[in-house]
Amino acid sequence: QVQLVEAGGGLVQAGDSLRVSCVVSGRVFSMFAVGWFRQTTGKEREFVGAISRSGDRSYCRESVKGRFTVSRDNVKKTVYLQMNSLKPEDTAVYYCAAKISGSMDIWYDKSSDYGYWGQGTQVTVSS
């Protein structure tokens, strides 16, 4: 059974940095492309960033580009979302999601692409 467990959320001030992690277990980790999404109350879940199986390709949405980075450690079976220069509008529950991908170098930006989800971790940025 595939399980995703996020960690590292918390309360920070605007301008601070935070790194959230996602441990994937249950299948061979290198089979998965992984994405990050976020959701606030009353809004739809939105794509934040994603990384391919190989880790050579990654992408973040325009509103966080230059501040957020997605990376992975295939030995630790973990994907990271490094968030710098955080803003109050980054406040959300952050979810990681995994997809068994046939390609080593494709990332996916639609929630419907992913079959496995974590429980989410709250990130709150105060002004």
Side-chain angles (χ1 to χ4, degrees), residues 67-99:
R67 299 189 296 121
F68 289 14
T69 304
V70 183
S71 63
R72 67 189 290 158
D73 184 331
N74 283 353
V75 174
K76 294 183 178 180
K77 302 180 181 181
T78 303
V79 175
Y80 303 99
L81 178 65
Q82 177 68 45
M83 303 181 285
N84 299 328
S85 301
L86 281 160
K87 303 177 181 180
E89 52 263 43
D90 295 318
T91 295
V93 178
Y94 283 72
Y95 298 90
C96 65
K99 170 187 172 61

Side-chain angles (χ1 to χ4, degrees), residues 12 38-40 86-94 122-126:
V12 297
R38 65 186 181 186
Q39 189 170 24
T40 55
L86 281 160
K87 303 177 181 180
E89 52 263 43
D90 295 318
T91 295
V93 178
Y94 283 72
Q122 176 71 46
V123 173
T124 303
V125 185
S126 64

